[in-house]
Amino acid sequence: MIGWEDVRAEVIRRVRDRDWPPGATIPAETALAAEFGCARATVNRALRDLAEAGLLERRRRAGTRVALNPVRRATLAVPLTRAEIEGRGQRYGYALISDGIEPPPLRVASALGLPASGALRHVVAMHFADGVALVHEDRWLNPAALEAEPSFERISANEWLVAHVPFTTGEIAFSAAAADAAQAAALGLSPGAPLFVAERTTWIGAVPITFVRLSHAPGYRLCTRL
Amino acid sequence: MIGWEDVRAEVIRRVRDRDWPPGATIPAETALAAEFGCARATVNRALRDLAEAGLLERRRRAGTRVALNPVRRATLAVPLTRAEIEGRGQRYGYALISDGIEPPPLRVASALGLPASGALRHVVAMHFADGVALVHEDRWLNPAALEAEPSFERISANEWLVAHVPFTTGEIAFSAAAADAAQAAALGLSPGAPLFVAERTTWIGAVPITFVRLSHAPGYRLCTRL
DNA sequence: TAGTGGTCTAGACCACGTA
DNA sequence: ACGTGGTCTAGACCACTAA
């Protein structure tokens, strides 16, 4: 029995071995189904998977072509900081630094699509791995979008959110930034140390929930396969 | 006609509105198909998509459950530096800094799974956007795996590779690092400036092809939706 | 307008892992 | 053992778009 993964493997082989060079149009699904002796749906499953991965480009009527510049799509798992640390077999620690209502900076307000005149809950906290400061968290929450007003003394906002607010949409941006004085002190680094920064904006539908900036101490790596 | 995207939207709604709270087992595909009045394959398509996105967890016999900690999977497009710059409407520039055969450092050799005693081609180059230095590229190539010995004077190794070596597997790691003296000079920064670093290892099957370290000047952001 | 991919259907068999 | 998801089939209709 020919499975869709067999078809996918054979297509990958033909692309790798240049039977089908970059830019070339490959046979239609019906032709491949006849050649492989399987149903068209099986071929469709394989080609769709490869198109999602970026190896192929598909358009109705125009057919399927081998991608010219393979903009590979990597699937990136974005875990909870806690799960990430415990997944490495380390002891997770958490400490709240500050928590209060403040008017957000302009860039936070615009990221959330909220007026800068309003007031948001501003939470600053730290995450530790085996007692070592690893992540500095700077979060803004939209109180109007939350059912409750939880304390983040012992539980991180991240964990409360995933347990109480199943979010549906969001954006993440990764960058590098120099540690400011407060971050350097909290992370036990010199000011200016390079931090790996993840900025995440979260909505439920069109309602903005939270904007968080996670600054990771040097040595942090975000890995993925493609 | 009920489509699989309709089913997916409805499942998302039920999870968001807590009709199906986190950890709960949802009805089997056959039950949902009957409820929605569509074929099981249509439900399967929707639930499989949501499982790939991380919202659901599926296991044979055990059924489908709403993920407890939604480790969302973001699809990350990893483009060519050139395509990325030109995609922003900027003028792309490229300059070769050095090119030669050298024994690789231990970490490069181990990343590629090659003996550190061998010699690899070491290429250092810069990428510019509108004349401004944006990316510092430090690349090691396995000459034994390449058909030709191309010049990288005018064409970047990245472009030559995507045109001549359709790769199938790879790994990417993102991190932050301080600019060393050479990088700072090449990028027009002060030593110690925070750089966004992407390290990519590429194989064809089990044959290591290249290891590249792309160091991005401050201001660079890698964005994605989830 | 004709050919391609996108999708749905109704049925079937199987692998898997829980009970 | 048995129920669940994983997959394949053969056929059909439709949406899109290039010729």
Side-chain angles (χ1 to χ4, degrees):
Chain A
M1 171 79 78
I2 299 292
W4 71 272
E5 291 180 288
D6 302 318
V7 175
R8 181 179 60 179
E10 174 60 14
V11 171
I12 288 175
R13 189 198 65 73
R14 292 186 185 183
V15 171
R16 177 169 30 83
D17 294 354
R18 306 202 149 256
D19 296 345
W20 295 336
T25 298
I26 76 174
E29 291 185 349
T30 48
L32 290 175
E35 181 194 339
F36 292 134
C38 65
R40 181 167 81 94
T42 305
V43 175
N44 179 276
R45 179 91 155 86
L47 298 188
R48 181 160 38 83
D49 186 81
L50 291 174
E52 282 172 10
L55 187 68
L56 301 177
E57 289 173 358
R58 319 196 74 193
R59 277 193 319 229
R60 284 165 155 128
R61 168 73 188 177
T64 300
R65 307 198 313 169
V66 180
L68 270 176
N69 47 343
V71 178
R72 298 293 294 261
R73 284 176 205 69
T75 64
L76 193 60
V78 185
L80 280 170
T81 300
R82 172 184 198 148
E84 196 172 8
I85 288 170
E86 291 179 341
R88 290 200 300 262
Q90 298 178 300
R91 184 169 44 85
Y92 173 74
Y94 168 79
L96 181 65
I97 293 180
S98 70
D99 185 354
I101 305 289
E102 302 170 33
L106 189 57
R107 53 186 296 279
V108 172
S110 72
L112 288 169
L114 289 171
S117 55
L120 300 180
R121 185 169 176 187
H122 185 204
V123 179
V124 181
M126 294 293 302
H127 303 264
F128 302 86
D130 279 344
V132 178
L134 195 72
V135 181
H136 175 273
E137 171 176 340
D138 186 318
R139 181 184 293 271
W140 297 81
L141 290 148
N142 180 7
L146 302 181
E147 302 163 352
E149 205 169 305
S151 163
F152 298 136
E153 281 287 345
R154 307 197 65 82
I155 298 177
S156 85
N158 203 338
E159 287 190 64
W160 188 88
L161 284 168
V162 299
H164 292 80
V165 186
F167 69 90
T168 54
T169 60
E171 282 179 10
I172 298 189
F174 301 101
S175 58
D180 63 26
Q183 290 173 330
L187 287 163
L189 304 168
S190 307
L195 304 179
F196 183 85
V197 176
E199 289 177 328
R200 185 150 139 198
T201 314
T202 303
W203 292 271
I204 296 183
V207 180
I209 303 296
T210 184
F211 172 87
V212 62
R213 180 181 166 96
L214 297 170
S215 303
H216 300 74
Y220 180 87
R221 290 166 69 85
L222 183 70
C223 302
T224 187
R225 243 168 237 145
L226 62 147
Chain B
M1 173 77 78
I2 299 291
W4 71 273
E5 292 181 286
D6 301 318
V7 175
R8 180 178 62 177
E10 175 61 13
V11 171
I12 288 175
R13 189 199 65 73
R14 292 186 185 183
V15 171
R16 176 168 32 82
D17 295 355
R18 308 203 146 255
D19 296 346
W20 295 337
T25 299
I26 76 173
E29 291 185 350
T30 48
L32 289 176
E35 181 194 339
F36 293 134
C38 65
R40 182 167 82 94
T42 305
V43 174
N44 179 276
R45 179 89 155 85
L47 297 188
R48 181 159 40 82
D49 185 82
L50 290 174
E52 282 172 11
L55 187 67
L56 301 178
E57 289 172 358
R58 319 197 73 193
R59 275 188 321 220
R60 283 167 157 130
R61 169 72 186 175
T64 300
R65 307 200 312 170
V66 180
L68 268 176
N69 45 344
V71 178
R72 297 293 292 263
R73 290 187 215 18
T75 63
L76 193 60
V78 185
L80 279 171
T81 300
R82 171 182 199 150
E84 197 172 7
I85 288 170
E86 291 178 341
R88 290 199 299 262
Q90 298 178 300
R91 184 168 45 84
Y92 173 74
Y94 168 79
L96 181 65
I97 292 180
S98 70
D99 184 353
I101 306 288
E102 303 170 34
L106 189 57
R107 53 185 296 280
V108 171
S110 73
L112 288 168
L114 289 172
S117 54
L120 299 179
R121 185 167 176 189
H122 185 204
V123 179
V124 181
M126 295 292 304
H127 303 264
F128 302 87
D130 280 343
V132 177
L134 195 70
V135 181
H136 176 272
E137 172 176 340
D138 186 319
R139 182 184 292 272
W140 296 82
L141 290 147
N142 180 7
L146 301 180
E147 301 163 354
E149 205 169 308
S151 162
F152 299 136
E153 281 286 344
R154 308 196 66 81
I155 297 177
S156 84
N158 203 339
E159 286 190 65
W160 188 88
L161 284 169
V162 299
H164 292 79
V165 186
F167 68 90
T168 54
T169 61
E171 283 179 10
I172 299 189
F174 301 101
S175 58
D180 63 26
Q183 289 173 330
L187 287 163
L189 304 168
S190 307
L195 304 179
F196 183 84
V197 176
E199 290 177 328
R200 187 150 139 196
T201 314
T202 303
W203 292 270
I204 296 181
V207 180
I209 302 297
T210 183
F211 173 87
V212 62
R213 181 182 166 96
L214 298 169
S215 302
H216 300 75
Y220 180 87
R221 289 166 69 84
L222 183 71
C223 301
T224 186
R225 241 167 237 145
L226 62 148

